[in-house]
Amino acid sequence: MKNDILPDLFTLAAIFEGMEDGVLSHDLDHIILNCNPAAETIFGYTASELLGKSIFTIIPEDLQQEQQAIFKRVMAGEKLAHLHSIRRNKENRHFPVSLTLSPIRDDDGLVIGASHIMRNITSERETAEKRGMLAAIVENSDDAIISKTLDGIITTWNGGAEKIFGYQENEVIGRHISILIPLDRLNEENLIIENIKNGNKVDHFQTIRLHKDGSAIDISLTVSPVKDQYGKIIGASKVARDITAARKAEIAIRHQAEKLQILNTIGKVISEKLDTESILQKVTDATTQITGAAFGAFFYNIITNDDEAFKLYTLSGSAREAFEGFGMLRNTAVFHSTFSGEGVLRADDITKDPRYGQNAPHVGMPKEYLPVVSYLAVPVISSSGDVIGGLFFGHPQAGVFQQEHEDLVVSLASQAAVALDNSRLFTEVKELSQKKDEFIALASHELKTPLTSMSGFLQLLDRRVIDANKPFVEKAINQVKKLNTLINDLFDISKIQSGKLQFYFEEFDLTMLIKETLEAIGEAHSSHNIYFDETLEMFLEGDKMRLEQVLINLITNAVKYSPESDKIEISVQKAGAEVIVSVRDYGMGINKENINHIFSQFYRAKGINRSITGLGLGLYITKEIIERHGGRIWVESEPWVGSTFSFALPVKTKGNMYTEYHENGEERL
Ligand code: ADP
């Protein structure tokens, strides 16, 4: 009977051979008696290598004692199923196994050995570890990681999702994803699911989702298809990152950049401007914009004759008209703190300030005032410590102005103070310069009359005196001539300033003019040899007297500033539509530092010998005369080598009726 229900040996052998699990048996002395092919594969030994060896061959050294204890229990008749332990293969590589140990009994039921059924569980273990690790990553991620079915039903929900959206896992599993989507964005979900169904991923899609409390959250969304083991798309996993903070930072950075830009532009503008009104307006506009004030104003002090401080202002902002209707600012306690230079006054709600509205007859804010709640006032103090004025900002809401606004306005206020100081200085310089011009005009006019009669009397005297006194009279005449030139220069200057320098244009030969000039001044400059070889006629249209004045100036300078040489060369040459006249000397020259200034009025090169007299007006007048002829003047010079002053004047051409001359001197009209 018994034999009938036992499987026959062949069947058992087949099972033994075909098992995926490794099977070994050993006797009471732990000597291996049997092994199946799976055991050979698992341990890397052939059957013949294993048979007859100790079972401890496949057990790592450090586990042998512990395993022996287990074996003892089996030998005592116990069956131990699904133990986990470690085994080693022929290459001594260790791996985890799942073990079932059973005693083997003889016909009498005595234990004569044990069988080991073993499964290598390396890959299962690894898979489990990986799964655990992934689960931990998902759970601990700051991003929301959610999975859902293709119908939009939420199937998993991690800790990040709890934090970002405010729902606990049990509140959302099984519900539709649309609980997170604002009504006006519901169609986004359809688009996303469409993509997912087509196997596409949705990457970094920036959108808005809803928190449990209904508030909007800026998120960046990445949605990927989830496939089953056969590759069929069964749902979607979505990773949502809260970018509210990043968005805020981005906006803050943009604001900062805008502010910087305003600061830069304003800094540049106000340092370039010199008139008070436009500096004030620029500063008021920029600071109002930067602070986000509903309106801003720059009140500044003007001291009138009776010493009363008036406050004029520039305004900016939406409420400009309303403010303009208000008129002058009264010196109330609130404003006083700014105008006295006490410091910055910033209030979240100025109506709560004890100084507010104390001034009779008004209690509280006079009704003409704008509804100011937030208030910021910054004094503008000049480098000398005087309060020039103050920048005032207001807003009908409380708490608008922050420390950063205050800092920005303070920095702009100090820039504005410098600009205003400069503008004041500039105005002063302008006024002084105007006074100087008036004085020159008056003095030259007053001097000219007595000098003219003095000159007349000397001429008379000169004709009558024939004795030894004559040389003195001649000297006196010469000095009066010099004086006359100086006064004429002053007179010309004042005429240039007032735009009254007159010109009388006529046609004349420049070569001839140079020759005549040289003859006229020849005696006065007998110390120098002046060379001028040109013989060709050079017709021009211009003011002959004024151009003679130019030549005299340049030649006189050449003589004056070359006391140690005696050669002066004058040349005339035609270059295109211009004629260029040059006066060259071999004197002291002009250094770089001075060369750019010598055409300015009253400028004399630094360090020239005091005994060389002059007012520093000749070149200024010369330049004016040349430019009024449509020409230009310039100098090339090197200290102690010499200077060449040149001027170019337009010659007459056929088109403009100027006379043109060919190189061979033939004249053509
Ligand atoms: P002034 O001769 O009365 O000083 P100018 O206006 O004619 O005034 O000249 C301005 C300055 O230019 C002179 O003071 C002198 O320093 C310099 N300058 C002019 N001409 C010469 C020259 N030929 N050589 C060297 N320096 C010159």
Side-chain angles (χ1 to χ4, degrees):
M1 275 302 280
K2 198 177 170 192
N3 281 344
D4 289 346
I5 56 164
L6 283 174
D8 64 76
L9 269 174
F10 292 112
T11 311
L12 281 175
I15 293 171
F16 183 68
E17 295 289 316
M19 275 173 78
E20 271 186 37
D21 294 341
V23 183
L24 288 170
S25 65
H26 60 83
D27 62 15
L28 293 177
D29 297 324
H30 302 112
I31 299 301
I32 299 171
L33 302 172
N34 266 313
C35 74
N36 72 344
E40 287 176 296
T41 314
I42 292 172
F43 295 104
Y45 292 101
T46 59
S48 54
E49 283 172 322
L50 279 176
L51 299 183
K53 292 247 169 62
S54 161
I55 188 76
F56 292 109
T57 312
I58 57 163
I59 298 174
E61 308 276 334
D62 53 341
L63 287 181
Q64 288 184 2
Q65 249 183 339
E66 167 202 306
Q67 292 292 302
Q68 195 153 23
I70 291 173
F71 296 160
K72 261 194 189 146
R73 285 166 58 192
V74 178
M75 300 302 192
E78 204 177 332
K79 180 180 172 183
L80 300 170
H82 307 306
L83 294 180
H84 280 190
S85 185
I86 305 289
R87 291 292 178 265
R88 62 180 178 188
N89 66 8
K90 190 177 175 185
E91 287 162 1
N92 199 25
R93 195 169 292 156
H94 296 193
F95 50 89
V97 286
S98 167
L99 278 175
T100 296
L101 305 179
S102 314
I104 304 176
R105 298 173 192 273
D106 64 10
D107 285 347
D108 302 324
L110 283 174
V111 177
I112 53 165
S115 74
H116 293 208
I117 305 175
M118 290 163 292
R119 174 172 298 181
N120 183 341
I121 56 169
T122 307
S123 67
E124 281 162 43
R125 173 86 39 105
E126 276 173 4
T127 311
E129 274 169 10
K130 258 190 210 148
R131 202 172 282 153
M133 206 145 75
L134 284 176
I137 291 172
V138 167
E139 201 42 43
N140 293 315
S141 165
D142 282 337
D143 293 341
I145 302 175
I146 303 163
S147 55
K148 60 185 178 184
T149 64
L150 287 178
D151 302 327
I153 303 298
I154 298 169
T155 46
T156 68
W157 184 261
N158 75 336
E162 279 181 15
K163 265 187 244 146
I164 293 177
F165 297 108
Y167 292 99
Q168 297 297 309
E169 189 179 5
N170 57 9
E171 291 176 285
V172 285
I173 298 288
R175 289 181 70 187
H176 196 268
I177 194 78
S178 59
I179 53 167
L180 304 177
I181 306 176
L183 279 181
D184 58 341
R185 289 180 183 264
L186 277 174
N187 64 332
E188 283 178 5
E189 178 62 13
N190 298 335
L191 286 176
I192 292 172
I193 290 294
E194 252 344 278
N195 266 296
I196 293 300
K197 280 183 179 161
N198 292 330
N200 296 327
K201 196 176 168 195
V202 176
D203 238 343
H204 304 303
F205 174 57
Q206 298 207 349
T207 181
I208 292 175
R209 290 293 178 258
L210 296 177
H211 188 269
K212 186 180 175 185
D213 65 14
S215 60
I217 315 160
D218 286 306
I219 60 163
S220 164
L221 209 57
T222 297
V223 190
S224 321
V226 174
K227 297 175 183 168
D228 67 10
Q229 70 222 66
Y230 309 108
K232 190 176 151 222
I233 295 163
I234 51 165
S237 78
K238 97 185 201 178
V239 180
R241 173 162 296 181
D242 184 348
I243 54 167
T244 312
R247 218 359 108 69
K248 275 194 188 140
E250 203 180 288
I251 293 171
I253 288 170
R254 219 180 31 236
H255 279 168
Q256 289 300 341
E258 279 167 11
K259 280 179 191 158
L260 267 179
Q261 171 126 31
I262 294 175
L263 273 178
N264 279 341
T265 342
I266 184 77
K268 192 165 174 286
V269 168
I270 63 178
S271 59
E272 280 167 0
K273 297 255 178 207
L274 278 173
D275 73 301
T276 313
E277 195 65 31
S278 57
I279 292 172
L280 294 179
Q281 191 61 57
K282 279 277 168 212
V283 172
T284 316
D285 289 343
T287 44
T288 306
Q289 195 185 342
I290 283 179
T291 53
F295 70 90
F298 195 146
F299 287 81
Y300 57 103
N301 292 327
I302 295 233
I303 311 294
T304 58
N305 286 342
D306 44 5
D307 242 11
E308 189 187 338
F310 261 75
K311 301 194 169 50
L312 301 179
Y313 54 84
T314 52
L315 300 165
S316 190
S318 56
R320 197 185 161 104
E321 286 84 37
F323 207 110
E324 259 168 355
F326 170 63
M328 289 297 176
L329 190 74
R330 293 172 325 111
N331 201 5
T332 61
V334 169
F335 296 126
H336 180 75
S337 72
T338 307
F339 286 124
S340 61
E342 253 170 51
V344 177
L345 175 55
R346 177 162 61 89
D348 285 341
D349 185 349
I350 191 68
T351 62
K352 300 212 172 86
D353 192 287
R355 285 165 290 195
Y356 173 82
Q358 278 174 359
N359 285 67
H362 299 294
V363 177
M365 193 59 104
K367 65 176 182 310
E368 301 93 329
Y369 275 106
L370 290 168
V372 176
V373 179
S374 286
Y375 178 84
L376 172 63
V378 176
V380 178
I381 300 172
S382 82
S383 54
S384 58
D386 300 332
V387 180
I388 305 174
L391 276 158
F392 297 85
F393 306 93
H395 200 283
Q397 279 160 24
V400 169
F401 304 127
Q402 308 299 318
Q403 184 65 44
E404 58 161 334
H405 300 126
E406 180 181 324
D407 295 344
L408 282 167
V409 177
V410 166
S411 103
L412 267 177
S414 61
Q415 285 191 48
V418 174
L420 288 171
D421 274 350
N422 288 342
S423 143
R424 277 187 185 185
L425 285 176
F426 181 68
T427 313
E428 273 171 32
V429 167
K430 247 185 10 198
E431 282 167 9
L432 282 175
S433 166
Q434 211 169 328
K435 286 209 175 98
K436 177 210 72 187
D437 291 345
E438 282 165 16
F439 171 76
I440 292 174
L442 195 76
S444 54
H445 188 264
E446 292 298 315
L447 289 170
K448 212 165 164 52
T449 324
L451 195 71
T452 313
S453 41
M454 199 160 115
S455 167
F457 289 129
L458 280 172
Q459 302 285 349
L460 273 179
L461 204 61
D462 188 35
R463 263 181 251 146
R464 291 187 189 179
V465 178
I466 36 170
D467 57 15
N469 288 325
K470 194 161 172 90
F472 296 113
V473 177
E474 275 168 6
K475 278 198 175 129
I477 288 175
N478 260 341
Q479 292 304 318
V480 168
K481 267 190 196 157
K482 274 193 186 162
L483 199 56
N484 202 36
T485 317
L486 287 176
I487 291 169
N488 276 341
D489 278 356
L490 282 175
F491 209 50
D492 284 347
I493 288 283
S494 73
K495 281 194 269 186
I496 291 172
Q497 303 298 353
S498 57
K500 287 182 190 147
L501 192 66
Q502 301 263 342
F503 288 84
Y504 302 99
F505 281 73
E506 59 182 313
E507 200 180 306
F508 65 92
D509 174 11
L510 184 65
T511 310
M512 186 56 77
L513 179 69
I514 297 174
K515 283 186 179 152
E516 286 167 6
T517 310
L518 286 176
E519 270 168 35
I521 61 169
E523 265 181 55
H525 300 318
S526 52
S527 56
H528 286 66
N529 297 318
I530 306 176
Y531 297 93
F532 177 58
D533 298 332
E534 193 54 66
T535 51
L536 289 180
E537 293 174 317
M538 230 21 117
F539 273 87
L540 283 182
E541 189 151 292
D543 186 320
K544 212 173 150 189
M545 296 270 285
R546 290 288 178 201
L547 290 175
E548 184 182 7
Q549 190 181 345
V550 165
L551 288 166
I552 293 175
N553 255 330
L554 296 183
I555 296 166
T556 312
N557 279 349
V559 172
K560 265 204 301 190
Y561 298 107
S562 58
E564 283 164 31
S565 99
D566 63 355
K567 189 166 146 199
I568 291 168
E569 291 159 342
I570 301 178
S571 68
V572 184
Q573 39 173 326
K574 212 181 134 244
E578 287 181 327
V579 55
I580 298 173
V581 179
S582 299
V583 179
R584 175 170 197 179
D585 66 55
Y586 296 87
M588 61 181 65
I590 308 158
N591 64 22
K592 280 213 179 82
E593 185 197 339
N594 289 306
I595 210 154
N596 291 330
H597 303 291
I598 54 170
F599 292 101
S600 318
Q601 46 170 319
F602 298 113
Y603 192 89
R604 308 202 69 210
K606 289 186 184 106
I608 55 167
N609 194 330
R610 286 277 175 101
S611 64
I612 306 177
T613 58
L615 290 180
L617 292 178
L619 287 180
Y620 175 73
I621 298 167
T622 299
K623 186 167 186 259
E624 175 77 14
I625 295 172
I626 295 297
E627 285 177 355
R628 291 281 296 274
H629 279 79
R632 27 193 196 98
I633 181 162
W634 67 96
V635 59
E636 290 146 289
S637 184
E638 217 177 297
W640 301 110
V641 174
S643 313
T644 305
F645 281 83
S646 308
F647 61 85
L649 293 170
V651 288
K652 268 191 154 183
T653 62
K654 236 186 192 169
N656 69 9
M657 287 309 289
Y658 276 82
T659 317
E660 188 171 85
Y661 294 88
H662 289 279
E663 305 300 342
N664 61 11
E666 185 195 334
E667 181 182 339
R668 253 185 13 181
L669 267 178

